[in-house]
Amino acid sequence: MTYEFELPDVGEGVAEGEIVSWLVEVGDAVTEDQPVAEVETDKAVVDVPSPVDGSVAEIRADAGEMVPVGDVIIVFEEEGEETATDEEKSDVPDSTGESETESESERVFAPPSARRLARELDVSIEAVEGTGPSGRITTADVRAHAETDESSSEPTQAIESVDTDSVPETSASRETTLAAPATRKLAAEEGIDLNAVPTDQTQEGEAFVTPTQVRQYAQSQQAAQAADVAAIGAPSEREERIPYRGVRRTIGKQMEASKFTAPHVTHHDEVDVTQLVERRSTLAEAADEQGVSLTYMPFVMKAVVEGLKEFPALNATLDEDAEEIILKHYYNIGVAVATDAGLMVPVVDGVDRKGMLQLSSEMNELIEKARDRSIAREEMQGGTFTITNFGAVGGEHATPIINHPESAILGLGEIKEKPRVVDGEVVVRSVMGLSLSIDHRTIDGATAAQFANTVKRYLETPELLLL
């Protein structure tokens, strides 16, 4: 018994997913809950498990294909179903009196693309003769079979009416061209205008084009294009198109919604973090002994929480429908992370209730999960304030975009040695740039500056964080 498995809603309200890769092939045995595919949603890559014990009978979606939730992506042959042997089936004639085994289609060697094309052209895949290695069926084999069937089904009178003595049509000035449906489909797939295909055949007084003529014309066009490419350089070497979808598209929509919803104002400042650099260097050794990598980020998170306690307007959201500002008395800090798929924001909950080592451990784990795309959707939700460290790749100041519906985001620049006046003398100090973007609908510029000053005070004197 076969089981058609539909792409499930692997997230909250996900409408579609991209098949990143298949973890099984046709014929593989599977067990219930065994991952069979990796699917990318708008937030992360998730494993899709098998719902049954059995084997893979058919794969209906290619890697890289976008599939709507609810579409069948794979077909399983469930375990435990009794099937007749080949000898038993050979003794039982079908409705036409022929002895064919019902499992013949399962033994056909064809990739998902060929099977899908066969369904589109209404071709029985087991009737197609494969020309690939070990008799594997290719998409070209499917098209050829469809065209053969189409040609054989043409009315005899129509075939006899072809006028082979007519003057050849070789120009692209024709307004109408007759062709079988399969030929028209082939032309569309090749990007060929049927009216431009040279032909010396007519049918019912009109030019008639065959699949062979379409292929020949396509090959001649490709040869001409190749000659042009050789002269001016291959377009593929000058341009590259990357699909705008999945996580990247979601990030783009989120940024667009934030930028055009909240009027952004960015406050820039600098902070002397010389003591922080020294303190972190000392504590890092003790953290290493406990297996924790201590960065500057936990110190910044703690300093931000102190600032949010003094200026709760920055730890708020605006409910536009209710016309209310919602002040949050909890502190879930998001940390923007650069990944291969784009910027992702894991959230560390309850930062005010955790020590430096616990913050470091949790944050490092979330960052690693974000980068290897194993992070759960709920681990990137519920944030009240976000920190982004663009200084990790260089740069002192930026204009970070608020992680909507939050009200503010703090950007950290690169720590650089700069001259500063201390007690009347010019000395070298470690200095870090700060870039604070706020939603000007709910936060005034003066409030933003006061918040930044509080954060600076704790970063300049990190011992205050221990009180």
Side-chain angles (χ1 to χ4, degrees), residues 377-390:
R377 192 183 185 91
E378 56 270 19
E379 293 175 312
M380 296 187 290
Q381 296 176 331
T384 63
F385 187 96
T386 296
I387 302 172
T388 178
N389 182 19
F390 54 81

Side-chain angles (χ1 to χ4, degrees), residues 68 73 97 99 105 118 131 205 209 211-212 234 258 311 320 361 394 406 443 459:
I73 59 172
S99 298
S105 62
T131 60
V209 170
T212 300
S258 177
F311 303 97
E320 297 181 61
S361 179
E406 296 170 12
I443 303 171
L459 294 179

Side-chain angles (χ1 to χ4, degrees), residues 2 13 82 90 94 97 171 217 248 276 292 318 349 381 437 462:
T2 58
E82 294 185 2
S90 65
D94 62 9
S171 69
Y217 184 73
R248 170 55 62 189
L276 174 61
V292 178
L318 175 61
D349 294 339
Q381 296 176 331
S437 290

Side-chain angles (χ1 to χ4, degrees), residues 99-114:
S99 298
E100 287 191 8
T101 64
E102 295 179 358
S103 61
E104 174 132 15
S105 62
E106 297 175 7
R107 299 198 301 270
V108 171
F109 293 96
S113 56

Side-chain angles (χ1 to χ4, degrees), residues 3-6 22 24 36 51 56-61 71-76:
Y3 183 102
E4 294 188 338
F5 182 62
E6 301 173 351
W22 284 105
V24 294
V36 295
V56 180
E58 185 178 355
I59 293 177
R60 294 190 180 178
D71 277 16
V72 176
I73 59 172
I74 187 171
V75 180
F76 298 98

Side-chain angles (χ1 to χ4, degrees), residues 6-11 13-22 37-46 48 61-73 245-247 249-250 373 377:
E6 301 173 351
L7 178 65
D9 183 351
V10 292
V14 171
E16 61 182 3
E18 178 181 353
I19 307 296
V20 176
S21 65
W22 284 105
E38 292 181 320
V39 175
E40 180 178 352
T41 68
D42 59 354
K43 286 294 183 183
V45 173
V46 297
V48 175
D62 290 336
E65 182 177 343
M66 292 296 296
V67 181
V69 168
D71 277 16
V72 176
I73 59 172
R245 60 194 185 201
V247 175
R249 183 177 61 181
T250 301
R373 310 295 297 284
R377 192 183 185 91

Side-chain angles (χ1 to χ4, degrees), residues 301-311 451 454 458 465:
M301 295 168 75
K302 281 290 191 180
V304 163
V305 167
E306 296 305 317
L308 294 177
K309 288 179 178 179
E310 289 190 36
F311 303 97
F451 168 83
T454 299
Y458 281 95
L465 296 173

Side-chain angles (χ1 to χ4, degrees), residues 251-262 264 401-402 404:
I251 293 171
K253 289 183 177 180
Q254 173 75 357
M255 293 295 183
E256 180 183 16
S258 177
K259 192 65 177 178
F260 290 101
T261 299
H264 283 54
I401 297 177
I402 298 167
H404 188 73

